[in-house]
mmCIF file of all heavy atoms in Angstrom:
data_model
loop_
_atom_site.group_PDB
_atom_site.id
_atom_site.type_symbol
_atom_site.label_atom_id
_atom_site.label_comp_id
_atom_site.label_asym_id
_atom_site.label_seq_id
_atom_site.Cartn_x
_atom_site.Cartn_y
_atom_site.Cartn_z
ATOM 1 N N GLU A 29 95.766 56.356 -83.212
ATOM 2 C CA GLU A 29 96.502 55.252 -82.626
ATOM 3 C C GLU A 29 95.632 54.634 -81.515
ATOM 4 O O GLU A 29 94.655 55.248 -81.083
ATOM 5 C CB GLU A 29 97.829 55.745 -82.023
ATOM 6 C CG GLU A 29 98.774 56.386 -83.010
ATOM 7 C CD GLU A 29 99.369 55.399 -84.002
ATOM 8 O OE1 GLU A 29 99.301 54.177 -83.705
ATOM 9 O OE2 GLU A 29 99.883 55.838 -85.037
ATOM 10 N N PRO A 30 95.973 53.432 -81.031
ATOM 11 C CA PRO A 30 95.186 52.818 -79.956
ATOM 12 C C PRO A 30 95.056 53.742 -78.750
ATOM 13 O O PRO A 30 96.041 54.334 -78.296
ATOM 14 C CB PRO A 30 95.970 51.545 -79.629
ATOM 15 C CG PRO A 30 96.662 51.190 -80.908
ATOM 16 C CD PRO A 30 97.028 52.518 -81.518
ATOM 17 N N PHE A 31 93.857 53.883 -78.238
ATOM 18 C CA PHE A 31 93.580 54.840 -77.174
ATOM 19 C C PHE A 31 94.390 54.575 -75.920
ATOM 20 O O PHE A 31 95.002 55.496 -75.355
ATOM 21 C CB PHE A 31 92.085 54.830 -76.843
ATOM 22 C CG PHE A 31 91.744 55.572 -75.565
ATOM 23 C CD1 PHE A 31 91.829 56.957 -75.513
ATOM 24 C CD2 PHE A 31 91.361 54.882 -74.423
ATOM 25 C CE1 PHE A 31 91.540 57.639 -74.337
ATOM 26 C CE2 PHE A 31 91.068 55.563 -73.247
ATOM 27 C CZ PHE A 31 91.153 56.942 -73.200
ATOM 28 N N LEU A 32 94.388 53.345 -75.440
ATOM 29 C CA LEU A 32 95.031 53.050 -74.159
ATOM 30 C C LEU A 32 96.522 53.369 -74.190
ATOM 31 O O LEU A 32 97.061 53.959 -73.248
ATOM 32 C CB LEU A 32 94.796 51.593 -73.765
ATOM 33 C CG LEU A 32 93.356 51.229 -73.390
ATOM 34 C CD1 LEU A 32 93.216 49.720 -73.204
ATOM 35 C CD2 LEU A 32 92.932 51.973 -72.124
ATOM 36 N N GLU A 33 97.193 53.009 -75.276
ATOM 37 C CA GLU A 33 98.625 53.275 -75.378
ATOM 38 C C GLU A 33 98.888 54.774 -75.524
ATOM 39 O O GLU A 33 99.803 55.330 -74.893
ATOM 40 C CB GLU A 33 99.228 52.527 -76.574
ATOM 41 C CG GLU A 33 99.350 51.022 -76.380
ATOM 42 C CD GLU A 33 98.059 50.264 -76.684
ATOM 43 O OE1 GLU A 33 97.000 50.922 -76.822
ATOM 44 O OE2 GLU A 33 98.111 49.036 -76.774
ATOM 45 N N THR A 34 98.079 55.451 -76.334
ATOM 46 C CA THR A 34 98.262 56.882 -76.546
ATOM 47 C C THR A 34 98.017 57.661 -75.266
ATOM 48 O O THR A 34 98.747 58.605 -74.930
ATOM 49 C CB THR A 34 97.312 57.363 -77.657
ATOM 50 O OG1 THR A 34 97.534 56.602 -78.839
ATOM 51 C CG2 THR A 34 97.540 58.838 -77.965
ATOM 52 N N ALA A 35 96.989 57.255 -74.519
ATOM 53 C CA ALA A 35 96.680 57.929 -73.255
ATOM 54 C C ALA A 35 97.812 57.750 -72.254
ATOM 55 O O ALA A 35 98.235 58.709 -71.586
ATOM 56 C CB ALA A 35 95.371 57.396 -72.693
ATOM 57 N N ALA A 36 98.300 56.524 -72.125
ATOM 58 C CA ALA A 36 99.381 56.263 -71.168
ATOM 59 C C ALA A 36 100.614 57.088 -71.500
ATOM 60 O O ALA A 36 101.254 57.676 -70.609
ATOM 61 C CB ALA A 36 99.715 54.776 -71.155
ATOM 62 N N GLU A 37 100.953 57.153 -72.779
ATOM 63 C CA GLU A 37 102.125 57.937 -73.182
ATOM 64 C C GLU A 37 101.939 59.401 -72.834
ATOM 65 O O GLU A 37 102.852 60.054 -72.296
ATOM 66 C CB GLU A 37 102.363 57.775 -74.681
ATOM 67 C CG GLU A 37 103.577 58.544 -75.188
ATOM 68 C CD GLU A 37 103.808 58.364 -76.675
ATOM 69 O OE1 GLU A 37 103.059 57.600 -77.309
ATOM 70 O OE2 GLU A 37 104.739 59.009 -77.209
ATOM 71 N N ALA A 38 100.755 59.955 -73.115
ATOM 72 C CA ALA A 38 100.505 61.363 -72.819
ATOM 73 C C ALA A 38 100.531 61.631 -71.320
ATOM 74 O O ALA A 38 100.957 62.700 -70.877
ATOM 75 C CB ALA A 38 99.159 61.785 -73.407
ATOM 76 N N MET A 39 100.084 60.653 -70.528
ATOM 77 C CA MET A 39 100.045 60.791 -69.074
ATOM 78 C C MET A 39 101.403 60.569 -68.429
ATOM 79 O O MET A 39 101.565 60.821 -67.228
ATOM 80 C CB MET A 39 99.025 59.813 -68.488
ATOM 81 C CG MET A 39 97.580 60.079 -68.908
ATOM 82 S SD MET A 39 96.473 58.685 -68.526
ATOM 83 C CE MET A 39 96.484 58.725 -66.717
ATOM 84 N N GLY A 40 102.375 60.053 -69.200
ATOM 85 C CA GLY A 40 103.710 59.794 -68.673
ATOM 86 C C GLY A 40 103.788 58.567 -67.789
ATOM 87 O O GLY A 40 104.593 58.524 -66.857
ATOM 88 N N ILE A 41 102.951 57.564 -68.080
ATOM 89 C CA ILE A 41 102.986 56.306 -67.321
ATOM 90 C C ILE A 41 103.218 55.155 -68.283
ATOM 91 O O ILE A 41 103.054 55.295 -69.498
ATOM 92 C CB ILE A 41 101.679 56.083 -66.530
ATOM 93 C CG1 ILE A 41 100.467 56.041 -67.477
ATOM 94 C CG2 ILE A 41 101.489 57.188 -65.492
ATOM 95 C CD1 ILE A 41 99.148 55.757 -66.775
ATOM 96 N N ASP A 42 103.601 54.011 -67.731
ATOM 97 C CA ASP A 42 103.884 52.857 -68.582
ATOM 98 C C ASP A 42 102.625 52.332 -69.260
ATOM 99 O O ASP A 42 102.634 51.982 -70.437
ATOM 100 C CB ASP A 42 104.544 51.741 -67.759
ATOM 101 C CG ASP A 42 105.945 52.111 -67.294
ATOM 102 O OD1 ASP A 42 106.566 52.968 -67.957
ATOM 103 O OD2 ASP A 42 106.393 51.567 -66.271
ATOM 104 N N ARG A 43 101.541 52.234 -68.488
ATOM 105 C CA ARG A 43 100.292 51.738 -69.062
ATOM 106 C C ARG A 43 99.131 52.128 -68.171
ATOM 107 O O ARG A 43 99.310 52.435 -66.989
ATOM 108 C CB ARG A 43 100.322 50.207 -69.193
ATOM 109 C CG ARG A 43 100.357 49.459 -67.880
ATOM 110 C CD ARG A 43 100.420 47.953 -68.087
ATOM 111 N NE ARG A 43 100.413 47.233 -66.805
ATOM 112 C CZ ARG A 43 99.310 46.864 -66.159
ATOM 113 N NH1 ARG A 43 98.127 47.134 -66.683
ATOM 114 N NH2 ARG A 43 99.388 46.231 -65.010
ATOM 115 N N LEU A 44 97.945 52.146 -68.769
ATOM 116 C CA LEU A 44 96.710 52.334 -68.018
ATOM 117 C C LEU A 44 96.186 50.975 -67.592
ATOM 118 O O LEU A 44 96.051 50.065 -68.419
ATOM 119 C CB LEU A 44 95.663 53.033 -68.879
ATOM 120 C CG LEU A 44 95.545 54.554 -68.782
ATOM 121 C CD1 LEU A 44 94.579 55.063 -69.845
ATOM 122 C CD2 LEU A 44 95.077 54.980 -67.402
ATOM 123 N N ARG A 45 95.930 50.825 -66.308
ATOM 124 C CA ARG A 45 95.322 49.580 -65.829
ATOM 125 C C ARG A 45 93.843 49.606 -66.194
ATOM 126 O O ARG A 45 93.156 50.605 -65.991
ATOM 127 C CB ARG A 45 95.489 49.468 -64.323
ATOM 128 C CG ARG A 45 95.005 48.155 -63.730
ATOM 129 C CD ARG A 45 95.464 47.973 -62.294
ATOM 130 N NE ARG A 45 94.936 48.983 -61.398
ATOM 131 C CZ ARG A 45 94.305 48.716 -60.250
ATOM 132 N NH1 ARG A 45 94.136 47.466 -59.864
ATOM 133 N NH2 ARG A 45 93.883 49.692 -59.468
ATOM 134 N N VAL A 46 93.339 48.498 -66.722
ATOM 135 C CA VAL A 46 91.958 48.422 -67.197
ATOM 136 C C VAL A 46 91.188 47.388 -66.381
ATOM 137 O O VAL A 46 91.623 46.250 -66.215
ATOM 138 C CB VAL A 46 91.891 48.039 -68.693
ATOM 139 C CG1 VAL A 46 90.437 47.905 -69.151
ATOM 140 C CG2 VAL A 46 92.619 49.078 -69.532
ATOM 141 N N ILE A 47 90.034 47.813 -65.852
ATOM 142 C CA ILE A 47 89.101 46.912 -65.190
ATOM 143 C C ILE A 47 87.894 46.777 -66.113
ATOM 144 O O ILE A 47 87.284 47.777 -66.500
ATOM 145 C CB ILE A 47 88.666 47.466 -63.818
ATOM 146 C CG1 ILE A 47 89.894 47.689 -62.934
ATOM 147 C CG2 ILE A 47 87.670 46.528 -63.145
ATOM 148 C CD1 ILE A 47 89.603 48.477 -61.673
ATOM 149 N N ASP A 48 87.560 45.561 -66.470
ATOM 150 C CA ASP A 48 86.476 45.327 -67.421
ATOM 151 C C ASP A 48 85.110 45.457 -66.767
ATOM 152 O O ASP A 48 84.905 45.075 -65.613
ATOM 153 C CB ASP A 48 86.572 43.923 -68.024
ATOM 154 C CG ASP A 48 87.758 43.763 -68.965
ATOM 155 O OD1 ASP A 48 88.287 44.794 -69.412
ATOM 156 O OD2 ASP A 48 88.149 42.614 -69.228
ATOM 157 N N THR A 49 84.164 45.979 -67.554
ATOM 158 C CA THR A 49 82.759 45.932 -67.153
ATOM 159 C C THR A 49 82.276 44.483 -67.205
ATOM 160 O O THR A 49 82.516 43.785 -68.179
ATOM 161 C CB THR A 49 81.899 46.751 -68.140
ATOM 162 O OG1 THR A 49 82.539 47.986 -68.387
ATOM 163 C CG2 THR A 49 80.503 46.971 -67.590
ATOM 164 N N GLY A 50 81.575 44.033 -66.165
ATOM 165 C CA GLY A 50 80.964 42.713 -66.218
ATOM 166 C C GLY A 50 81.949 41.573 -66.146
ATOM 167 O O GLY A 50 83.152 41.750 -65.956
ATOM 168 N N LEU A 51 81.428 40.368 -66.313
ATOM 169 C CA LEU A 51 82.215 39.154 -66.155
ATOM 170 C C LEU A 51 82.347 38.389 -67.465
ATOM 171 O O LEU A 51 83.355 37.754 -67.734
ATOM 172 C CB LEU A 51 81.559 38.264 -65.089
ATOM 173 C CG LEU A 51 82.247 36.962 -64.720
ATOM 174 C CD1 LEU A 51 83.592 37.265 -64.067
ATOM 175 C CD2 LEU A 51 81.376 36.150 -63.758
ATOM 176 N N ASP A 52 81.324 38.441 -68.303
ATOM 177 C CA ASP A 52 81.277 37.760 -69.593
ATOM 178 C C ASP A 52 80.626 38.708 -70.589
ATOM 179 O O ASP A 52 80.103 39.756 -70.195
ATOM 180 C CB ASP A 52 80.475 36.450 -69.486
ATOM 181 C CG ASP A 52 79.069 36.690 -68.958
ATOM 182 O OD1 ASP A 52 78.238 37.219 -69.717
ATOM 183 O OD2 ASP A 52 78.808 36.383 -67.779
ATOM 184 N N PRO A 53 80.650 38.398 -71.890
ATOM 185 C CA PRO A 53 80.129 39.347 -72.877
ATOM 186 C C PRO A 53 78.684 39.780 -72.645
ATOM 187 O O PRO A 53 78.357 40.958 -72.824
ATOM 188 C CB PRO A 53 80.291 38.590 -74.197
ATOM 189 C CG PRO A 53 81.447 37.681 -73.969
ATOM 190 C CD PRO A 53 81.330 37.243 -72.536
ATOM 191 N N VAL A 54 77.825 38.865 -72.247
ATOM 192 C CA VAL A 54 76.425 39.221 -72.029
ATOM 193 C C VAL A 54 76.279 40.129 -70.816
ATOM 194 O O VAL A 54 75.607 41.169 -70.853
ATOM 195 C CB VAL A 54 75.552 37.956 -71.879
ATOM 196 C CG1 VAL A 54 74.130 38.331 -71.459
ATOM 197 C CG2 VAL A 54 75.533 37.160 -73.177
ATOM 198 N N THR A 55 76.933 39.745 -69.710
ATOM 199 C CA THR A 55 76.877 40.577 -68.505
ATOM 200 C C THR A 55 77.502 41.941 -68.763
ATOM 201 O O THR A 55 76.982 42.975 -68.318
ATOM 202 C CB THR A 55 77.603 39.886 -67.341
ATOM 203 O OG1 THR A 55 77.007 38.614 -67.108
ATOM 204 C CG2 THR A 55 77.521 40.727 -66.078
ATOM 205 N N ALA A 56 78.603 41.958 -69.500
ATOM 206 C CA ALA A 56 79.268 43.227 -69.808
ATOM 207 C C ALA A 56 78.346 44.144 -70.600
ATOM 208 O O ALA A 56 78.260 45.345 -70.323
ATOM 209 C CB ALA A 56 80.554 42.964 -70.587
ATOM 210 N N GLU A 57 77.639 43.575 -71.562
ATOM 211 C CA GLU A 57 76.726 44.388 -72.366
ATOM 212 C C GLU A 57 75.578 44.917 -71.513
ATOM 213 O O GLU A 57 75.182 46.088 -71.622
ATOM 214 C CB GLU A 57 76.177 43.567 -73.536
ATOM 215 C CG GLU A 57 75.317 44.385 -74.481
ATOM 216 C CD GLU A 57 74.844 43.583 -75.690
ATOM 217 O OE1 GLU A 57 75.183 42.385 -75.776
ATOM 218 O OE2 GLU A 57 74.137 44.166 -76.534
ATOM 219 N N ARG A 58 75.034 44.064 -70.657
ATOM 220 C CA ARG A 58 73.941 44.496 -69.783
ATOM 221 C C ARG A 58 74.398 45.601 -68.827
ATOM 222 O O ARG A 58 73.712 46.611 -68.659
ATOM 223 C CB ARG A 58 73.423 43.305 -68.966
ATOM 224 C CG ARG A 58 72.537 42.333 -69.744
ATOM 225 C CD ARG A 58 72.284 41.068 -68.924
ATOM 226 N NE ARG A 58 71.762 41.378 -67.601
ATOM 227 C CZ ARG A 58 70.464 41.553 -67.327
ATOM 228 N NH1 ARG A 58 69.568 41.473 -68.298
ATOM 229 N NH2 ARG A 58 70.060 41.807 -66.099
ATOM 230 N N GLU A 59 75.549 45.424 -68.216
ATOM 231 C CA GLU A 59 75.995 46.387 -67.210
ATOM 232 C C GLU A 59 76.533 47.663 -67.848
ATOM 233 O O GLU A 59 76.458 48.733 -67.235
ATOM 234 C CB GLU A 59 76.998 45.734 -66.262
ATOM 235 C CG GLU A 59 76.359 44.567 -65.495
ATOM 236 C CD GLU A 59 77.057 44.212 -64.198
ATOM 237 O OE1 GLU A 59 78.079 44.832 -63.856
ATOM 238 O OE2 GLU A 59 76.561 43.289 -63.506
ATOM 239 N N GLN A 60 77.032 47.570 -69.074
ATOM 240 C CA GLN A 60 77.388 48.807 -69.778
ATOM 241 C C GLN A 60 76.131 49.614 -70.072
ATOM 242 O O GLN A 60 76.104 50.844 -69.898
ATOM 243 C CB GLN A 60 78.134 48.486 -71.082
ATOM 244 C CG GLN A 60 78.698 49.709 -71.803
ATOM 245 C CD GLN A 60 77.718 50.384 -72.746
ATOM 246 O OE1 GLN A 60 76.848 49.722 -73.309
ATOM 247 N NE2 GLN A 60 77.854 51.689 -72.913
ATOM 248 N N TRP A 61 75.059 48.953 -70.482
ATOM 249 C CA TRP A 61 73.786 49.625 -70.742
ATOM 250 C C TRP A 61 73.243 50.278 -69.474
ATOM 251 O O TRP A 61 72.638 51.345 -69.523
ATOM 252 C CB TRP A 61 72.786 48.632 -71.308
ATOM 253 C CG TRP A 61 71.405 49.164 -71.511
ATOM 254 C CD1 TRP A 61 70.290 48.898 -70.766
ATOM 255 C CD2 TRP A 61 70.975 50.062 -72.541
ATOM 256 N NE1 TRP A 61 69.198 49.568 -71.256
ATOM 257 C CE2 TRP A 61 69.586 50.296 -72.347
ATOM 258 C CE3 TRP A 61 71.631 50.703 -73.598
ATOM 259 C CZ2 TRP A 61 68.847 51.142 -73.181
ATOM 260 C CZ3 TRP A 61 70.879 51.539 -74.425
ATOM 261 C CH2 TRP A 61 69.514 51.747 -74.210
ATOM 262 N N GLU A 62 73.489 49.663 -68.331
ATOM 263 C CA GLU A 62 73.018 50.200 -67.049
ATOM 264 C C GLU A 62 74.073 51.074 -66.371
ATOM 265 O O GLU A 62 74.080 51.243 -65.161
ATOM 266 C CB GLU A 62 72.623 49.042 -66.114
ATOM 267 C CG GLU A 62 71.497 48.164 -66.634
ATOM 268 C CD GLU A 62 70.157 48.888 -66.735
ATOM 269 O OE1 GLU A 62 70.067 50.051 -66.276
ATOM 270 O OE2 GLU A 62 69.204 48.298 -67.276
ATOM 271 N N ASP A 63 74.978 51.642 -67.165
ATOM 272 C CA ASP A 63 75.958 52.622 -66.702
ATOM 273 C C ASP A 63 76.986 52.062 -65.732
ATOM 274 O O ASP A 63 77.445 52.753 -64.820
ATOM 275 C CB ASP A 63 75.252 53.835 -66.078
ATOM 276 C CG ASP A 63 74.392 54.570 -67.086
ATOM 277 O OD1 ASP A 63 74.963 55.100 -68.053
ATOM 278 O OD2 ASP A 63 73.161 54.593 -66.931
ATOM 279 N N GLY A 64 77.379 50.805 -65.956
ATOM 280 C CA GLY A 64 78.411 50.205 -65.123
ATOM 281 C C GLY A 64 79.752 50.903 -65.245
ATOM 282 O O GLY A 64 80.558 50.898 -64.304
ATOM 283 N N ASN A 65 80.012 51.533 -66.396
ATOM 284 C CA ASN A 65 81.268 52.268 -66.588
ATOM 285 C C ASN A 65 81.190 53.690 -66.069
ATOM 286 O O ASN A 65 82.214 54.371 -65.961
ATOM 287 C CB ASN A 65 81.618 52.338 -68.083
ATOM 288 C CG ASN A 65 81.794 50.985 -68.702
ATOM 289 O OD1 ASN A 65 82.773 50.312 -68.447
ATOM 290 N ND2 ASN A 65 80.832 50.568 -69.510
ATOM 291 N N ASN A 66 79.988 54.156 -65.786
ATOM 292 C CA ASN A 66 79.789 55.569 -65.497
ATOM 293 C C ASN A 66 79.917 55.829 -63.993
ATOM 294 O O ASN A 66 78.945 56.104 -63.293
ATOM 295 C CB ASN A 66 78.414 56.013 -66.009
ATOM 296 C CG ASN A 66 78.292 57.515 -66.089
ATOM 297 O OD1 ASN A 66 77.729 58.158 -65.213
ATOM 298 N ND2 ASN A 66 78.839 58.096 -67.147
ATOM 299 N N THR A 67 81.149 55.756 -63.500
ATOM 300 C CA THR A 67 81.420 55.950 -62.077
ATOM 301 C C THR A 67 81.888 57.377 -61.807
ATOM 302 O O THR A 67 82.469 58.027 -62.673
ATOM 303 C CB THR A 67 82.502 54.978 -61.592
ATOM 304 O OG1 THR A 67 83.723 55.252 -62.301
ATOM 305 C CG2 THR A 67 82.096 53.533 -61.838
ATOM 306 N N LEU A 68 81.646 57.842 -60.596
ATOM 307 C CA LEU A 68 82.135 59.144 -60.155
ATOM 308 C C LEU A 68 83.197 58.924 -59.092
ATOM 309 O O LEU A 68 82.908 58.351 -58.039
ATOM 310 C CB LEU A 68 80.991 59.986 -59.577
ATOM 311 C CG LEU A 68 81.423 61.276 -58.863
ATOM 312 C CD1 LEU A 68 82.032 62.269 -59.844
ATOM 313 C CD2 LEU A 68 80.254 61.895 -58.103
ATOM 314 N N ALA A 69 84.413 59.381 -59.358
ATOM 315 C CA ALA A 69 85.488 59.253 -58.373
ATOM 316 C C ALA A 69 85.333 60.325 -57.305
ATOM 317 O O ALA A 69 85.221 61.513 -57.616
ATOM 318 C CB ALA A 69 86.849 59.370 -59.059
ATOM 319 N N VAL A 70 85.333 59.904 -56.046
ATOM 320 C CA VAL A 70 85.300 60.817 -54.908
ATOM 321 C C VAL A 70 86.721 61.157 -54.477
ATOM 322 O O VAL A 70 87.001 62.250 -53.989
ATOM 323 C CB VAL A 70 84.496 60.198 -53.746
ATOM 324 C CG1 VAL A 70 84.514 61.086 -52.514
ATOM 325 C CG2 VAL A 70 83.056 59.948 -54.182
ATOM 326 N N SER A 71 87.620 60.221 -54.670
ATOM 327 C CA SER A 71 89.048 60.392 -54.418
ATOM 328 C C SER A 71 89.746 59.258 -55.148
ATOM 329 O O SER A 71 89.086 58.359 -55.679
ATOM 330 C CB SER A 71 89.348 60.373 -52.909
ATOM 331 O OG SER A 71 88.952 59.143 -52.347
ATOM 332 N N PRO A 72 91.074 59.265 -55.229
ATOM 333 C CA PRO A 72 91.748 58.174 -55.929
ATOM 334 C C PRO A 72 91.372 56.815 -55.343
ATOM 335 O O PRO A 72 91.519 56.579 -54.145
ATOM 336 C CB PRO A 72 93.235 58.481 -55.715
ATOM 337 C CG PRO A 72 93.284 59.963 -55.522
ATOM 338 C CD PRO A 72 92.027 60.298 -54.759
ATOM 339 N N GLY A 73 90.815 55.943 -56.185
ATOM 340 C CA GLY A 73 90.474 54.599 -55.736
ATOM 341 C C GLY A 73 89.172 54.492 -54.974
ATOM 342 O O GLY A 73 88.872 53.425 -54.403
ATOM 343 N N VAL A 74 88.350 55.550 -54.958
ATOM 344 C CA VAL A 74 87.036 55.516 -54.308
ATOM 345 C C VAL A 74 86.018 56.092 -55.288
ATOM 346 O O VAL A 74 86.151 57.238 -55.726
ATOM 347 C CB VAL A 74 87.015 56.332 -53.005
ATOM 348 C CG1 VAL A 74 85.636 56.260 -52.351
ATOM 349 C CG2 VAL A 74 88.093 55.853 -52.048
ATOM 350 N N VAL A 75 85.000 55.276 -55.639
ATOM 351 C CA VAL A 75 84.044 55.721 -56.646
ATOM 352 C C VAL A 75 82.615 55.454 -56.187
ATOM 353 O O VAL A 75 82.357 54.563 -55.377
ATOM 354 C CB VAL A 75 84.277 55.016 -58.003
ATOM 355 C CG1 VAL A 75 85.681 55.299 -58.530
ATOM 356 C CG2 VAL A 75 84.023 53.513 -57.913
ATOM 357 N N VAL A 76 81.691 56.250 -56.736
ATOM 358 C CA VAL A 76 80.260 56.011 -56.567
ATOM 359 C C VAL A 76 79.764 55.295 -57.811
ATOM 360 O O VAL A 76 80.107 55.674 -58.940
ATOM 361 C CB VAL A 76 79.486 57.326 -56.375
ATOM 362 C CG1 VAL A 76 77.999 57.046 -56.129
ATOM 363 C CG2 VAL A 76 80.065 58.148 -55.232
#
């Protein structure tokens, strides 16, 4: 099933909020390649 909906249901929340990598398709592809999605959470809402 769709990941976002399945994850939210398992987590017991209405939905997962999604922040997109980049601003447009080209920027998103570039920043995904440069690990734009690969953040480390230090605490809720604080990431490296």
Side-chain angles (χ1 to χ4, degrees):
E29 299 291 343
F31 168 71
L32 291 172
E33 287 83 348
T34 304
E37 181 179 357
M39 296 166 67
I41 59 177
D42 292 336
R43 66 181 182 88
L44 266 173
R45 185 168 63 128
V46 177
I47 302 169
D48 290 342
T49 314
L51 182 65
D52 56 74
V54 172
T55 302
E57 185 176 1
R58 284 170 53 87
E59 298 202 358
Q60 187 273 330
W61 175 254
E62 299 294 353
D63 297 296
N65 300 288
N66 196 261
T67 62
L68 170 66
V70 176
S71 60
V74 181
V75 300
V76 183

